[in-house]
Amino acid sequence: MRSVRKAPRAPDEEHLVRLVAKGDRAAFEELYRRTSPWLAVRLRRRCGDEQIVAEVMQETYLAVWRAAGAFAGAAVGGSATGWLWTIAARRLVDAFRRRAHHAEPPPAAAVPEAVPAAEEEALATTVGGDVGDALRCLAPELRQVLQAMVLDGLSVRETAVLLGLPEGTVKTRARRARTAMREALA
């Protein structure tokens, strides 16, 4: 009878993280090789800015190298890839916060409007029908917030920076604008 020899199994990601915790560079390289493609794809789904994605990737793997010893793994029902994604997601949120914190409103945002702004004219031509009428009936301060958050896709913080308002004011105006839009369209 012949003995069948099985090929050695490659270590799974959890084992690689444990080796990284011991300072094993080859294990770190293997972990990076296995996980960086899907991690980059997931980050790109949430952020279109390649520079931010690259920074988050770098910060994530640096954190993995430094904190691999803190990985609890299957003992607490976790997985290495889940742990890695949690680190990356937190780094991405931090990057968004840094960007919003350092963002400066464009100079035109500080100038008081005496005539209809170009975006108001563009809005009038792009949003028509009942929605356009309801939008144009909103108070200007509510319309600005709604346009920034809904049409431009800005976050509350980015809208606050753009309009030079406190975040709480932006949230209140957004809620009031949505309520007014619902009533107008009902």
Side-chain angles (χ1 to χ4, degrees), residues 33-155:
R33 187 189 64 73
R34 286 187 191 182
T35 59
S36 63
W38 69 261
L39 185 61
V41 168
R42 287 187 80 174
L43 289 169
R44 284 185 191 109
R45 285 183 189 155
R46 287 157 179 80
C47 177
D49 187 333
E50 281 298 320
Q51 183 178 357
I52 290 176
V53 170
E55 288 173 12
V56 169
M57 291 284 290
Q58 184 175 15
E59 290 174 13
T60 298
Y61 284 100
L62 180 61
V64 167
W65 178 257
R66 290 179 175 167
F71 172 64
V76 293
S79 69
T81 54
W83 179 67
L84 192 69
W85 172 244
T86 300
I87 293 170
R90 288 180 180 163
R91 295 299 185 274
L92 185 60
V93 168
D94 291 344
F96 285 151
R97 287 179 180 154
R98 280 192 306 270
R99 184 173 69 176
H101 178 71
H102 294 296
E104 301 222 359
V111 178
E113 295 179 23
V115 296
E119 60 265 1
E120 298 235 355
E121 293 174 14
L123 184 64
T125 60
T126 59
V127 179
D130 294 339
V131 174
D133 293 341
L135 198 55
R136 285 186 283 283
C137 289
L138 286 176
E141 66 273 8
L142 300 181
R143 186 172 50 248
Q144 286 177 332
V145 168
L146 196 62
Q147 180 179 351
M149 292 181 70
V150 176
L151 298 177
D152 298 337
L154 299 179
S155 69

